[in-house]
Amino acid sequence: MAKKKLKKKSKDISSVVWVKQTSQKEMAQPETSMFSIAAFALIVALCAVPLTAEISTGFLQYKLKVLKMDEAFLKVNNELDTDVMVSWVSEHCYQCLYQQLGVVPAASSPGHPSSIDVGVSTQHEITLKLKSTPVSQELCKVPFHFGEHGNYSLWMKNMNNLSVVNCSLVTVADPVNTYIRDCELWLNPKLADYFSSRLDAVKNILSRIGGSMETERLINSELGSPGRTVTLITDNMSPPTLSPSKRLRSLDTFRGISLVIMVFVNYGGGRYWFFRHESWNGESIWLFFEVFVFIMGTSIALSINSLLRTGSTRCSLLMKVVWRSVQLFVIGVFIINPNYCQGPLSWNNLRIPGVLQRLAWSYLVVACLDLMVDSWWSPGLDILLYWPAWLCVLLLEGIWLSFTFLLPVPDCPTGYLGPGGIGDMGLYENCTGGAAGFIDRWLLGESHIYQAPSSRAIYATRMPYDPEGVLGSINSVFMAFLGLQAGKIILHYRDLPTSIMSRFLLWGLFLGVISAILTKCSTDRGFIPVNKNLWSLSYVTTLACFAFVLLVVIYYTVDVKKWWSGAPFYYPGMNSILIYVGHEVFEEYFPFRWPMANSQSHAEHLTQNLVATSCWVFISYVLYRKKIFWKI
């Protein structure tokens, strides 16, 4: 399930305006080039919409009227003289009960089998179990990974008139590889001709928009960040540098990558299953909300240090942090609340947790820790300098572990981390999330948390559960604090890129080892599995490991070697809150969404989601050029 600013030159905790003097020759050419690519992609996508619909609607027209996405057709044929119950379970469902597909009546006479038609999931391999009724004797099990929109037949026969039953699966019509077909769609010669006829118009638009490129204006992005390295205020060993401070484009690029992928996945990701979050344990590779929390922590370190150097007091900054957190929380609750789909908001259906609410909480705690904990300089000790803050974070982790594994939950085993539902052989049906779910339901009420968790898809859970709940917020603070640690490394080793990258890699290795120990390198059998719904400790260490390594790659590419300017991701990274809120509020409006000719076509969903995401990248560039940055 995922789990969505006019900037001023002031003492605001979230913004510092900094203008880097760069020649037109240095900036105009690469920026215009990257923008041209982004604009061309957007216009191509918009032009492709009607033609894509035309091509896709003729594809397997009959089957698409019957089958949904990620489904296949299965005819179960029974030649036995007894009724047969067919049930199934997904290989991604850990220790799950079988779910019934249907009952096939006994054959009316030899040579005249009975049959039923069912739809089966194609996302993962499933196991079909066939049992005779009413004796309930297991006849056979058939593991198979069905292909999307394939046509299959399952036959049950007696072998040589004996009691031995043979179960065989036959492919009647081959499935369709929608991934290859969608690629072929975009490479279709008809599409190429269609686009080339409009190339002149595209060039004219680009020449008008990109004709003049102003001097690069680098304004800090949301949730605290001038992404620039300046002398640490508590560094008494080294005098302040006299050279202009150097903005790190890699941080805005990192944030922009996270945001763009978040928007694309939130819009649907083409409705492909691998863009969705796992139903419970494990996770896909598209974990960029968590990475966004990490980079927010990095930005906090750089922003607060810069503002303190400009003369702002800790008390004034603390008040601004609190006010900003309140604003983020209110926007999350009243503007982009997902329960709007149930009708007008009221107290009875108001969801209290959410993405912006979690960002607000993490920002508040980590920024307060950074403001209230003074440090002293000692070369090489970029961790021990902040031991009081680390002590607070470790205390929070102790609270998380204590509540998670020691809190008694009625009718549930203590320390339960499972999804409930049909998981764990159905023994703990109403224990979804263990202590985390219990705390949310007790503290917030069932009607004020998320009603359709991702665990429903495979584990058939019925209890409301919120992946942005209260207990998991402790670990989101830990994630942001690890990002803050990355910011401290940048500050202390500002002139030593090799030292920065080596420490990032050491942190990534350290966190990766912790994850391996906690999970035992398995999805379900570890001490603490990787779980987004719980925001488990291993989930945070795994994602932080990934974030440190990715930050090394982007930092080296963008800021050290300057092989890449960061465009086009740099622009949404500079206006992240506006883009996130905007994509949630205007999700149902054109050009972000329009009626589809075939709502069960991956190609049409993919086109729509790419267009919507490209539109927000384009909007962020226009706002950047107009020097419009939304801050709160």
Side-chain angles (χ1 to χ4, degrees):
M1 336 123 350
K3 140 158 143 224
K4 320 200 163 106
K5 299 186 156 235
L6 180 59
K7 299 292 182 180
K8 299 179 182 178
K9 182 176 182 182
S10 68
K11 298 178 182 178
D12 195 316
I13 184 64
S14 66
S15 62
V16 173
V17 178
W18 179 67
V19 181
K20 180 181 178 182
Q21 299 299 327
T22 308
S23 67
Q24 292 289 342
K25 289 185 178 181
E26 291 175 333
M27 290 305 304
Q29 187 173 356
E31 295 287 354
T32 303
S33 176
M34 292 305 299
F35 167 67
S36 300
I37 295 174
F40 180 74
L42 170 61
I43 295 173
V44 163
L46 284 170
C47 294
V49 171
L51 189 57
T52 302
E54 176 186 346
I55 295 175
S56 62
T57 53
F59 173 73
L60 279 179
Q61 190 172 5
Y62 172 74
K63 288 188 178 180
L64 288 176
K65 290 180 180 178
V66 179
L67 297 174
K68 299 178 181 179
M69 288 183 289
D70 301 320
E71 277 191 351
F73 177 83
L74 175 65
K75 178 184 285 292
V76 184
N77 304 280
N78 182 14
E79 293 188 358
L80 308 180
D81 56 1
T82 181
D83 294 350
V84 176
M85 183 177 69
V86 184
S87 54
W88 71 284
V89 68
S90 169
E91 67 165 3
H92 268 50
C93 198
Y94 181 63
Q95 295 182 341
C96 286
L97 294 173
Y98 280 82
Q99 301 175 75
Q100 184 173 333
L101 268 178
V103 176
V104 191
S108 57
S109 61
H112 295 83
S114 61
S115 64
I116 62 169
D117 299 334
V118 295
V120 291
S121 171
T122 63
Q123 292 188 14
H124 309 291
E125 180 179 315
I126 66 173
T127 298
L128 298 172
K129 183 168 71 172
L130 298 98
K131 298 174 65 176
S132 61
T133 59
V135 180
S136 190
Q137 175 186 359
E138 183 176 314
L139 302 176
C140 57
K141 288 183 178 179
V142 182
F144 193 77
H145 195 162
F146 293 91
E148 187 173 19
H149 296 162
N151 192 337
Y152 303 88
S153 288
L154 177 62
W155 290 86
M156 294 172 286
K157 304 178 182 180
N158 281 320
M159 293 292 293
N160 300 323
N161 295 323
L162 300 177
S163 59
V164 179
V165 175
N166 174 259
C167 301
S168 58
L169 191 66
V170 179
T171 301
V172 178
D174 290 333
V176 176
N177 191 328
T178 56
Y179 318 122
I180 294 177
R181 188 176 66 84
D182 291 346
C183 292
E184 291 175 346
L185 178 65
W186 286 100
L187 297 176
N188 191 292
K190 187 177 180 181
L191 286 178
D193 295 339
Y194 185 80
F195 296 143
S196 62
S197 65
R198 290 160 173 76
L199 188 57
D200 292 337
V202 172
K203 288 181 178 179
N204 292 334
I205 294 173
L206 294 179
S207 63
R208 291 181 182 180
I209 298 177
S212 60
M213 185 68 189
E214 78 253 12
T215 302
E216 182 189 17
R217 181 179 178 86
L218 301 177
I219 302 178
N220 69 301
S221 70
E222 294 63 34
L223 298 174
S225 154
R228 55 176 181 171
T229 57
V230 295
T231 306
L232 192 65
I233 190 169
T234 55
D235 183 357
N236 298 320
M237 300 292 292
S238 304
T241 178
L242 297 178
S243 59
S245 50
K246 180 177 61 176
R247 182 167 179 102
L248 296 178
R249 291 179 68 93
S250 56
L251 299 186
D252 295 310
T253 302
F254 196 127
R255 185 185 299 103
I257 292 173
S258 305
L259 182 62
V260 168
I261 294 178
M262 283 169 59
V263 171
F264 175 68
V265 172
N266 286 350
Y267 276 146
R271 294 295 191 270
Y272 291 111
W273 65 266
F274 46 78
F275 283 121
R276 302 171 190 162
H277 296 301
E278 290 289 347
S279 188
W280 197 249
N281 290 336
E283 192 48 275
S284 67
I285 63 173
W286 311 103
L287 310 170
F288 283 89
F289 167 54
E290 297 74 12
V291 174
F292 191 89
V293 174
F294 177 91
I295 204 64
M296 178 185 71
T298 306
S299 301
I300 289 172
L302 304 182
S303 176
I304 289 178
N305 176 74
S306 177
L307 291 168
L308 288 173
R309 287 190 56 80
T310 62
S312 298
T313 65
R314 291 180 183 270
C315 184
S316 65
L317 296 182
L318 185 61
M319 294 301 295
K320 291 176 181 178
V321 165
V322 173
W323 175 235
R324 193 150 195 255
S325 300
V326 170
Q327 288 179 285
L328 279 173
F329 191 90
V330 170
I331 291 173
V333 170
F334 294 106
I335 296 182
I336 58 175
N337 198 303
N339 284 357
Y340 273 119
C341 63
Q342 302 174 14
L345 283 185
S346 67
W347 176 249
N348 293 330
N349 69 348
L350 184 69
R351 182 195 180 199
I352 297 176
V355 171
L356 285 186
Q357 296 91 307
R358 176 155 290 185
L359 287 176
W361 163 253
S362 304
Y363 173 71
L364 174 65
V365 175
V366 172
C368 287
L369 283 175
D370 197 35
L371 279 170
M372 294 188 295
V373 175
D374 289 316
S375 61
W376 54 91
W377 170 248
S378 178
L381 301 180
D382 48 291
I383 300 174
L384 297 181
L385 295 178
Y386 310 99
W387 68 267
W390 271 102
L391 189 62
C392 292
V393 170
L394 293 177
L395 178 62
L396 286 174
E397 283 305 309
I399 294 173
W400 183 86
L401 291 169
S402 299
F403 275 108
T404 299
F405 292 101
L406 300 179
L407 181 69
V409 178
D411 302 322
C412 300
T414 302
Y416 182 69
L417 299 176
I422 63 174
D424 300 293
M425 307 311 296
L427 296 175
Y428 315 115
E429 181 179 2
N430 296 322
C431 295
T432 303
F438 172 72
I439 289 174
D440 287 343
R441 292 189 291 270
W442 172 74
L443 189 62
L444 304 175
E446 288 191 11
S447 60
H448 301 301
I449 60 178
Y450 198 45
Q451 301 298 305
S454 60
S455 55
R456 287 192 175 188
I458 291 181
Y459 289 93
T461 56
R462 300 174 182 173
M463 297 293 291
Y465 181 83
D466 207 306
E468 278 80 46
V470 175
L471 197 57
S473 296
I474 294 177
N475 281 338
S476 71
V477 169
F478 185 37
M479 185 73 172
F481 190 78
L482 289 171
L484 184 80
Q485 177 62 42
K488 297 300 184 183
I489 291 173
I490 292 173
L491 289 172
H492 284 303
Y493 303 99
R494 56 194 175 276
D495 298 323
L496 301 170
T498 303
S499 297
I500 291 175
M501 291 187 292
S502 63
R503 279 163 175 77
F504 283 175
L505 291 175
L506 286 173
W507 267 104
L509 176 62
F510 174 68
L511 293 168
V513 170
I514 292 178
S515 297
I517 295 172
L518 292 176
T519 62
K520 296 182 180 179
C521 297
S522 68
T523 301
D524 299 294
R525 295 180 173 83
F527 301 110
I528 304 178
V530 172
N531 189 294
K532 173 182 172 57
N533 290 281
L534 297 171
W535 269 70
S536 62
L537 180 58
S538 60
Y539 178 76
V540 171
T541 55
T542 301
L543 267 294
C545 167
F546 169 76
F548 271 111
V549 174
L550 183 58
L551 186 55
V552 168
V553 174
I554 297 176
Y555 173 69
Y556 183 76
T557 304
V558 174
D559 285 318
V560 178
K561 290 297 184 180
K562 302 187 186 304
W563 291 334
W564 177 33
S565 68
F569 301 106
Y570 175 74
Y571 308 117
M574 295 285 287
N575 236 332
S576 57
I577 292 299
L578 186 149
I579 300 302
Y580 183 82
V581 174
H583 101 276
E584 290 277 7
V585 172
F586 296 102
E587 178 181 3
E588 300 297 328
Y589 296 89
F590 184 85
F592 311 110
R593 185 159 296 177
W594 56 83
M596 293 185 178
N598 179 11
S599 63
Q600 298 303 317
S601 166
H602 281 293
E604 289 198 48
H605 281 283
L606 182 62
T607 300
Q608 189 176 90
N609 301 153
L610 286 174
V611 168
T613 306
S614 300
C615 283
W616 286 113
V617 174
F618 182 79
I619 290 169
S620 68
Y621 177 80
V622 173
L623 294 175
Y624 173 81
R625 288 292 306 273
K626 298 294 184 180
K627 305 177 185 178
I628 298 174
F629 300 88
W630 182 35
K631 73 179 184 68
I632 57 175

Short mmCIF file of all heavy atoms in Angstrom, two decimals, residues 80-108:
data_model
loop_
_atom_site.label_atom_id
_atom_site.label_comp_id
_atom_site.label_asym_id
_atom_site.label_seq_id
_atom_site.Cartn_x
_atom_site.Cartn_y
_atom_site.Cartn_z
N LEU A 80 -13.96 -36.98 -11.86
CA LEU A 80 -14.12 -37.90 -10.74
C LEU A 80 -15.59 -38.04 -10.38
O LEU A 80 -16.44 -37.23 -10.78
CB LEU A 80 -13.33 -37.41 -9.53
CG LEU A 80 -11.84 -37.07 -9.78
CD1 LEU A 80 -11.20 -36.59 -8.49
CD2 LEU A 80 -11.11 -38.30 -10.32
N ASP A 81 -15.87 -39.07 -9.59
CA ASP A 81 -17.25 -39.31 -9.18
C ASP A 81 -17.56 -38.66 -7.83
O ASP A 81 -18.49 -39.07 -7.14
CB ASP A 81 -17.52 -40.82 -9.12
CG ASP A 81 -16.55 -41.53 -8.19
OD1 ASP A 81 -15.69 -40.87 -7.58
OD2 ASP A 81 -16.65 -42.78 -8.08
N THR A 82 -16.79 -37.67 -7.44
CA THR A 82 -17.01 -36.96 -6.20
C THR A 82 -16.80 -35.47 -6.41
O THR A 82 -16.04 -35.06 -7.31
CB THR A 82 -16.04 -37.46 -5.10
OG1 THR A 82 -16.29 -36.75 -3.88
CG2 THR A 82 -14.60 -37.23 -5.51
N ASP A 83 -17.49 -34.67 -5.61
CA ASP A 83 -17.28 -33.22 -5.69
C ASP A 83 -15.87 -32.89 -5.21
O ASP A 83 -15.31 -33.55 -4.33
CB ASP A 83 -18.28 -32.49 -4.80
CG ASP A 83 -19.71 -32.64 -5.31
OD1 ASP A 83 -19.88 -33.14 -6.43
OD2 ASP A 83 -20.64 -32.26 -4.57
N VAL A 84 -15.30 -31.83 -5.80
CA VAL A 84 -13.93 -31.42 -5.46
C VAL A 84 -13.93 -29.95 -5.10
O VAL A 84 -14.45 -29.11 -5.86
CB VAL A 84 -12.95 -31.69 -6.62
CG1 VAL A 84 -11.56 -31.16 -6.26
CG2 VAL A 84 -12.90 -33.17 -6.93
N MET A 85 -13.36 -29.62 -3.95
CA MET A 85 -13.21 -28.22 -3.54
C MET A 85 -11.81 -27.75 -3.95
O MET A 85 -10.81 -28.40 -3.63
CB MET A 85 -13.39 -28.07 -2.03
CG MET A 85 -13.30 -26.61 -1.57
SD MET A 85 -13.59 -26.40 0.20
CE MET A 85 -12.10 -27.16 0.87
N VAL A 86 -11.77 -26.62 -4.64
CA VAL A 86 -10.50 -26.05 -5.09
C VAL A 86 -10.17 -24.84 -4.22
O VAL A 86 -11.01 -23.93 -4.07
CB VAL A 86 -10.58 -25.62 -6.57
CG1 VAL A 86 -9.22 -25.12 -7.05
CG2 VAL A 86 -11.06 -26.77 -7.43
N SER A 87 -8.98 -24.80 -3.64
CA SER A 87 -8.53 -23.66 -2.83
C SER A 87 -7.12 -23.28 -3.24
O SER A 87 -6.44 -24.03 -3.95
CB SER A 87 -8.60 -23.99 -1.33
OG SER A 87 -7.89 -25.18 -1.05
N TRP A 88 -6.68 -22.13 -2.77
CA TRP A 88 -5.38 -21.63 -3.21
C TRP A 88 -4.70 -20.84 -2.10
O TRP A 88 -5.34 -20.37 -1.15
CB TRP A 88 -5.53 -20.72 -4.44
CG TRP A 88 -6.17 -19.40 -4.11
CD1 TRP A 88 -7.48 -19.16 -3.87
CD2 TRP A 88 -5.49 -18.15 -3.92
NE1 TRP A 88 -7.70 -17.83 -3.57
CE2 TRP A 88 -6.49 -17.19 -3.60
CE3 TRP A 88 -4.17 -17.75 -4.00
CZ2 TRP A 88 -6.18 -15.85 -3.35
CZ3 TRP A 88 -3.86 -16.42 -3.77
CH2 TRP A 88 -4.86 -15.48 -3.44
N VAL A 89 -3.38 -20.67 -2.24
CA VAL A 89 -2.60 -19.83 -1.34
C VAL A 89 -1.42 -19.27 -2.13
O VAL A 89 -0.87 -19.94 -3.01
CB VAL A 89 -2.10 -20.62 -0.11
CG1 VAL A 89 -1.06 -21.67 -0.49
CG2 VAL A 89 -1.53 -19.68 0.95
N SER A 90 -1.06 -18.02 -1.85
CA SER A 90 0.06 -17.37 -2.54
C SER A 90 1.37 -17.74 -1.86
O SER A 90 1.42 -17.90 -0.63
CB SER A 90 -0.11 -15.84 -2.52
OG SER A 90 1.06 -15.19 -2.96
N GLU A 91 2.42 -17.87 -2.66
CA GLU A 91 3.73 -18.16 -2.07
C GLU A 91 4.23 -16.99 -1.22
O GLU A 91 5.09 -17.17 -0.37
CB GLU A 91 4.75 -18.44 -3.17
CG GLU A 91 5.08 -17.24 -4.04
CD GLU A 91 6.33 -17.42 -4.89
OE1 GLU A 91 6.92 -18.52 -4.84
OE2 GLU A 91 6.71 -16.47 -5.59
N HIS A 92 3.68 -15.79 -1.42
CA HIS A 92 4.06 -14.62 -0.63
C HIS A 92 3.28 -14.53 0.68
O HIS A 92 3.51 -13.61 1.47
CB HIS A 92 3.83 -13.34 -1.44
CG HIS A 92 5.03 -12.91 -2.21
ND1 HIS A 92 5.72 -13.77 -3.03
CD2 HIS A 92 5.70 -11.72 -2.27
CE1 HIS A 92 6.74 -13.12 -3.59
NE2 HIS A 92 6.75 -11.89 -3.14
N CYS A 93 2.38 -15.46 0.90
CA CYS A 93 1.59 -15.48 2.13
C CYS A 93 2.25 -16.46 3.09
O CYS A 93 2.24 -17.68 2.87
CB CYS A 93 0.15 -15.88 1.82
SG CYS A 93 -1.04 -15.45 3.10
N TYR A 94 2.83 -15.94 4.17
CA TYR A 94 3.63 -16.76 5.08
C TYR A 94 2.72 -17.50 6.07
O TYR A 94 1.96 -16.88 6.80
CB TYR A 94 4.61 -15.87 5.83
CG TYR A 94 5.52 -16.60 6.80
CD1 TYR A 94 6.42 -17.55 6.34
CD2 TYR A 94 5.45 -16.34 8.16
CE1 TYR A 94 7.27 -18.20 7.21
CE2 TYR A 94 6.29 -16.99 9.04
CZ TYR A 94 7.19 -17.93 8.57
OH TYR A 94 8.02 -18.58 9.44
N GLN A 95 2.83 -18.83 6.06
CA GLN A 95 2.06 -19.68 6.97
C GLN A 95 0.57 -19.34 6.91
O GLN A 95 -0.07 -19.06 7.93
CB GLN A 95 2.58 -19.56 8.40
CG GLN A 95 3.99 -20.08 8.59
CD GLN A 95 4.47 -20.00 10.03
OE1 GLN A 95 3.92 -19.25 10.84
NE2 GLN A 95 5.51 -20.75 10.37
N CYS A 96 0.01 -19.39 5.71
CA CYS A 96 -1.37 -18.95 5.52
C CYS A 96 -2.32 -20.11 5.30
O CYS A 96 -1.93 -21.18 4.81
CB CYS A 96 -1.46 -18.01 4.32
SG CYS A 96 -0.80 -16.36 4.63
N LEU A 97 -3.56 -19.87 5.66
CA LEU A 97 -4.63 -20.81 5.34
C LEU A 97 -4.95 -20.73 3.85
O LEU A 97 -4.81 -19.68 3.23
CB LEU A 97 -5.89 -20.46 6.14
CG LEU A 97 -5.83 -20.62 7.67
CD1 LEU A 97 -7.10 -20.05 8.28
CD2 LEU A 97 -5.63 -22.06 8.07
N TYR A 98 -5.41 -21.84 3.31
CA TYR A 98 -5.88 -21.84 1.93
C TYR A 98 -7.22 -21.14 1.84
O TYR A 98 -8.04 -21.21 2.76
CB TYR A 98 -6.01 -23.28 1.42
CG TYR A 98 -4.70 -23.90 0.98
CD1 TYR A 98 -3.83 -24.47 1.91
CD2 TYR A 98 -4.33 -23.90 -0.35
CE1 TYR A 98 -2.64 -25.03 1.52
CE2 TYR A 98 -3.13 -24.48 -0.77
CZ TYR A 98 -2.28 -25.03 0.18
OH TYR A 98 -1.09 -25.58 -0.21
N GLN A 99 -7.43 -20.44 0.71
CA GLN A 99 -8.68 -19.75 0.47
C GLN A 99 -9.44 -20.44 -0.65
O GLN A 99 -8.86 -20.83 -1.67
CB GLN A 99 -8.41 -18.29 0.08
CG GLN A 99 -7.63 -17.50 1.13
CD GLN A 99 -7.29 -16.12 0.66
OE1 GLN A 99 -8.14 -15.23 0.61
NE2 GLN A 99 -6.03 -15.91 0.30
N GLN A 100 -10.74 -20.58 -0.48
CA GLN A 100 -11.53 -21.34 -1.43
C GLN A 100 -11.75 -20.59 -2.72
O GLN A 100 -12.08 -19.41 -2.73
CB GLN A 100 -12.88 -21.70 -0.80
CG GLN A 100 -13.73 -22.60 -1.69
CD GLN A 100 -14.98 -23.08 -0.98
OE1 GLN A 100 -15.01 -23.19 0.24
NE2 GLN A 100 -16.04 -23.34 -1.74
N LEU A 101 -11.55 -21.32 -3.84
CA LEU A 101 -11.87 -20.79 -5.17
C LEU A 101 -13.25 -21.21 -5.63
O LEU A 101 -13.97 -20.46 -6.28
CB LEU A 101 -10.82 -21.26 -6.19
CG LEU A 101 -9.60 -20.39 -6.45
CD1 LEU A 101 -8.69 -21.06 -7.45
CD2 LEU A 101 -9.99 -19.00 -6.92
N GLY A 102 -13.61 -22.45 -5.33
CA GLY A 102 -14.92 -22.95 -5.73
C GLY A 102 -15.00 -24.45 -5.56
O GLY A 102 -14.02 -25.12 -5.23
N VAL A 103 -16.18 -25.00 -5.78
CA VAL A 103 -16.42 -26.44 -5.69
C VAL A 103 -16.85 -26.94 -7.07
O VAL A 103 -17.80 -26.40 -7.67
CB VAL A 103 -17.49 -26.77 -4.63
CG1 VAL A 103 -17.78 -28.27 -4.63
CG2 VAL A 103 -17.03 -26.31 -3.26
N VAL A 104 -16.16 -27.98 -7.56
CA VAL A 104 -16.48 -28.56 -8.86
C VAL A 104 -17.34 -29.80 -8.63
O VAL A 104 -16.91 -30.74 -7.94
CB VAL A 104 -15.20 -28.94 -9.63
CG1 VAL A 104 -15.54 -29.28 -11.08
CG2 VAL A 104 -14.17 -27.83 -9.57
N PRO A 105 -18.54 -29.83 -9.17
CA PRO A 105 -19.40 -31.01 -8.96
C PRO A 105 -18.79 -32.26 -9.57
O PRO A 105 -17.92 -32.20 -10.46
CB PRO A 105 -20.70 -30.63 -9.67
CG PRO A 105 -20.64 -29.14 -9.83
CD PRO A 105 -19.20 -28.79 -9.95
N ALA A 106 -19.25 -33.41 -9.12
CA ALA A 106 -18.80 -34.69 -9.68
C ALA A 106 -19.24 -34.81 -11.13
O ALA A 106 -20.23 -34.20 -11.56
CB ALA A 106 -19.35 -35.84 -8.85
N ALA A 107 -18.49 -35.60 -11.89
CA ALA A 107 -18.84 -35.82 -13.29
C ALA A 107 -20.21 -36.50 -13.39
O ALA A 107 -20.53 -37.40 -12.61
CB ALA A 107 -17.78 -36.67 -13.97
N SER A 108 -21.02 -36.08 -14.34
CA SER A 108 -22.36 -36.65 -14.49
C SER A 108 -22.31 -38.10 -14.95
O SER A 108 -23.15 -38.92 -14.59
CB SER A 108 -23.17 -35.81 -15.49
OG SER A 108 -22.49 -35.74 -16.75
#
